[in-house]
Amino acid sequence: MTSAAARGLVSCPECALVSRPVTPQAPGHCPRCGEKLVFRRENAIQRTWALLIAATVLYAPANLLPVLATTTIVSSSSETIMSGVIYLYASGSWPLALIVFVASIVIPIGKIVTLGFVLVTVQRGMTTSDRQRTRLYRIVEFIGRWSMLDVFVDTFVVALVQLSPLMSVEPGPGVVYFMAVVVLTMFAAMSFDPRLIWDRSKAIRGS
Amino acid sequence: MKSIACHGCDLLQRLPRLQPGGKARCGRCGQILAVNPVHPLDTPLALSIAAAVLVVIANVCPLMSLSAAGRTSTTTLAGGAFEMWMRGSQVTAVVVLFCAVIAPILYVTAMLAVMIAIQRPPAPAWMGDFMRLADRLRPWSMNEVLLLGILVALTKIAQLAEVIPGPALFAVTALVLLLPWIWSTFDPHVVWARIAWSTGAKP
């Protein structure tokens, strides 16, 4: 059992047609669908690291700055991502508080740590638990979009609670940073190539 | 039997003949290699038509309204993004508009166009661009995340005022079920086999 690349074959990322490019250095385009062919996604490790580091930097303002600012006749207050979770919990809807906590706190951290781990192991040439690492990557890729939850929550709270002068809600500066973290980590997951995990692998089946 | 390279690990392997409704996984990394839906042409077409109707409802009708102390405010999907724009968070507004409105509309349109075009092969080569578009947009079309976000927002607001759900909320809920259903009854290999080659060659 060998990889397609080891036999000089390239699989179209779009239509999955396996073809043999004339010049492996420049595989050109897929004869069926016209998609640009690559043996491995270009500069996958560097791009993923770049996006991941950018997301990590923005993670601090995303969590420290307020995402919503509420103004009523008598008072004004603001909430961050975490205080929003606490507010939901305190108001009695702990299942929702748990969902928002997982989507907004656990998933972003989990994505950054997991992608970082997979990148480090690929760069160090780890050849064990390939299947588990592929699985981790796939979970990150699949689950990443759920972090957008808080952005949608903030949007519709802002859109609806416009009952001035009684009460109005404005978006805070944190929401754009948080959204950027989500989008950047999604792009980071997309720019990585899971085939890199397997390129040194000696595994034949499973394990 | 045809050769296929796993997109998860690049292992070259032969696809066995699949039972209707069956699917094949990579022998090494476990990635799904191929599916064989029972009705690969009719079911996704029918579901895409339904999804197109629902996308229109979701974007035209009011999503929900809020009333407190005699005042009412109503919003639509795009209206949510518009409020974010007006209140100073323009970048967020654009991304919300893209993930909640633009990506689902384009995704459903592209799927519908492809499913109509491949009924009589060969579909023109540029139909492949619609497949590509649908594929690129899939992660950004966030109906299910949007729905959960709206529900959390409703819970937060419900303590302040009375919230009345609108028709668009039900359409979004139906889309959450429909869009993954389209994907599960659909075989990209069948579609690509029915689209003319971009080089003009016959397969």
Side-chain angles (χ1 to χ4, degrees), chain A residues 1-7 9-18 30-36 39-41 68 79 84-85 87-88 91-93 96 99-100 131 134 138 145-172 175-176 179 182-183 186-187 190 193-196 198-199 201 203-207, chain B residues 2-13 25-32 63-69 71-77 79-81 83-84 87-89 91-92 95-96 99-100 125 128-129 131-133 135-136 138-157 159-161 163 188-189 192-193 195-200:
Chain A
M1 287 215 202
T2 48
S3 73
R7 294 198 189 174
L9 296 170
V10 59
S11 169
C12 174
E14 186 59 43
C15 78
L17 182 78
V18 177
C30 174
R32 177 160 71 180
C33 74
E35 179 77 3
K36 191 167 181 271
F39 283 96
R40 297 291 177 264
R41 283 179 202 160
L68 286 178
E79 66 172 56
V85 173
Y87 171 79
L88 269 177
S91 65
S93 40
L96 280 182
I99 290 170
V100 177
R131 196 169 180 147
T134 310
R138 241 179 255 144
R145 50 218 293 280
W146 281 96
S147 301
M148 212 59 166
L149 181 69
D150 217 276
V151 177
F152 289 128
V153 173
D154 299 337
T155 302
F156 288 99
V157 169
V158 167
L160 273 178
V161 189
Q162 297 304 339
L163 305 163
S164 53
L166 281 179
M167 181 182 206
S168 72
V169 179
E170 307 284 321
V175 67
V176 68
M179 186 227 37
V182 179
V183 171
M186 281 179 71
F187 277 123
M190 289 173 192
D193 194 333
R195 291 172 293 191
L196 295 172
W198 294 88
D199 277 345
S201 176
I204 304 298
R205 251 176 205 282
S207 74
Chain B
K2 63 173 191 167
S3 283
I4 190 168
C6 173
H7 277 169
C9 73
D10 209 30
L11 183 73
L12 199 60
Q13 48 209 301
R25 281 180 185 275
C26 173
R28 185 163 72 168
C29 77
Q31 169 115 343
I32 293 173
L63 186 66
M64 51 196 177
S65 34
L66 175 76
S67 65
R71 290 167 164 275
T72 311
S73 70
T74 304
T75 187
T76 57
L77 271 185
E83 271 309 321
M84 279 304 249
R87 290 174 195 278
S89 207
V91 183
T92 319
V95 175
V96 168
C99 296
D129 292 329
M131 268 294 280
R132 233 186 297 277
L133 181 70
D135 213 36
R136 299 277 150 85
R138 210 152 61 94
W140 301 101
S141 168
M142 302 190 184
N143 281 286
E144 66 277 46
V145 186
L146 171 73
L147 178 66
L148 192 58
I150 294 170
L151 294 180
V152 174
L154 284 181
T155 316
K156 280 187 154 185
I157 301 167
Q159 286 141 347
L160 311 169
V163 181
H189 294 289
W192 285 112
I195 290 177
W197 285 41
S198 66
T199 51

